[in-house]
Amino acid sequence: MKSQFGERVRTLREKQNLYLRQVAPLLEMDTAQLSKIEKGLRQLKREQIPIIAEILKASSDELMTLWLADQIYEVVKDEKMANEAMQVAEQKLNFIKRKKK
Amino acid sequence: MKSQFGERVRTLREKQNLYLRQVAPLLEMDTAQLSKIEKGLRQLKREQIPIIAEILKASSDELMTLWLADQIYEVVKDEKMANEAMQVAEQKLNFIKRKKK
DNA sequence: CTATATTTGCCAAGATTTGACAAGTCAATA
DNA sequence: TATTGACTTGTCAAATCTTGGCAAATATAG
């Protein structure tokens, strides 16, 4: 499981019977780049997520969630304190959210 | 709450009655940089965490946890799907961990 | 073998982060 | 109010990291 985002994009693309060469230009990149993105070797730019969601007729929220999860995972993988750090981050997140209401 | 790591470092440093000018050289930086780190405007390098932990007679694990939490928070702050993403990342983390055992 | 789809390797260009310094604020106090 | 010491802020070039684009390699199907 290299990149949840990439794997999901590939699945969706295949479900739509689209080739890299068809999708890549819509994102203004070449097939090599999109291939790397699907394999998790590169990151799609955050602002392109809604675009690819539309191309693949998928939920932008779902793809954004997977994309963010990949970024988080990149930070904590191989870290002994990963779980503790996630918990602390979550608490901060909820604390800030509560404050904003 | 800008940076949990930075705030903790400052607290620990003050508890030890140390000045920036005393601590900074031990990390091979100037006081300006360390000041920014404590205020969350810069990140300490990951590999320097054990060093600062020793200087401040603090737990390396604790500081690493806060440092990682800051990195995670940076990824998800202001994101609508933040909580969902954290959950997905956590699942992946536990999945991988289970596999490694 | 040929054609098409995808993957991989490379490296220059672009973007981001850091290091270093100078100048600034602030508080205590002579 | 002038001085000193601690800390902060702004700037910018250098260092580091990431991306874009191309060419060549591989894979698959006919």
Side-chain angles (χ1 to χ4, degrees), chain A residues 9-61:
Chain A
V9 165
R10 175 146 301 187
T11 301
L12 288 164
R13 178 173 63 79
E14 287 171 345
K15 209 179 292 179
Q16 301 280 333
N17 290 307
L18 294 169
Y19 298 126
L20 288 178
R21 119 182 107 72
Q22 297 175 287
V23 175
L26 301 174
L27 294 163
E28 300 181 80
M29 59 177 68
D30 68 3
T31 61
Q33 275 174 91
L34 186 50
S35 169
K36 285 170 191 166
I37 287 167
E38 289 186 351
K39 310 199 96 204
L41 303 172
R42 295 270 169 108
Q43 304 299 129
L44 189 68
K45 289 209 187 96
R46 193 198 168 287
E47 63 267 28
Q48 291 180 305
I49 295 173
I51 301 172
I52 202 171
E54 186 161 9
I55 295 169
L56 301 177
K57 305 192 199 313
S59 150
S60 187
D61 279 355

Side-chain angles (χ1 to χ4, degrees), chain B residues 38-51:
Chain B
E38 289 186 350
K39 308 199 99 204
L41 303 172
R42 295 268 170 110
Q43 302 300 126
L44 189 68
K45 290 209 187 93
R46 194 198 166 288
E47 63 267 27
Q48 291 181 304
I49 296 174
I51 301 171

Side-chain angles (χ1 to χ4, degrees), chain B residues 3-99:
Chain B
S3 148
Q4 311 216 56
F5 176 79
E7 286 183 6
R8 185 78 182 111
V9 165
R10 174 144 302 185
T11 301
L12 289 164
R13 178 172 63 79
E14 288 172 344
K15 209 179 292 179
Q16 300 281 331
N17 289 306
L18 294 169
Y19 298 126
L20 289 178
R21 119 181 107 71
Q22 298 174 286
V23 175
L26 300 174
L27 295 164
E28 300 180 78
M29 59 178 67
D30 68 3
T31 61
Q33 275 175 89
L34 186 50
S35 169
K36 284 170 190 164
I37 286 167
E38 289 186 350
K39 308 199 99 204
L41 303 172
R42 295 268 170 110
Q43 302 300 126
L44 189 68
K45 290 209 187 93
R46 194 198 166 288
E47 63 267 27
Q48 291 181 304
I49 296 174
I51 301 171
I52 202 170
E54 186 161 8
I55 296 169
L56 301 177
K57 305 192 199 311
S59 149
S60 187
D61 280 354
E62 184 213 352
L63 290 182
M64 181 63 78
T65 299
L66 296 177
W67 185 90
L68 288 170
D70 283 347
Q71 318 299 310
I72 296 167
Y73 183 74
E74 194 56 34
V75 170
V76 297
K77 68 169 182 198
D78 307 328
E79 291 289 352
K80 178 181 156 202
M81 306 311 289
N83 279 305
E84 292 79 357
M86 297 272 294
Q87 241 188 292
V88 172
E90 211 156 350
Q91 277 163 18
K92 178 167 177 182
L93 199 60
N94 292 327
F95 177 71
I96 303 280
K97 224 185 292 176
R98 202 167 311 116
K99 247 174 84 177

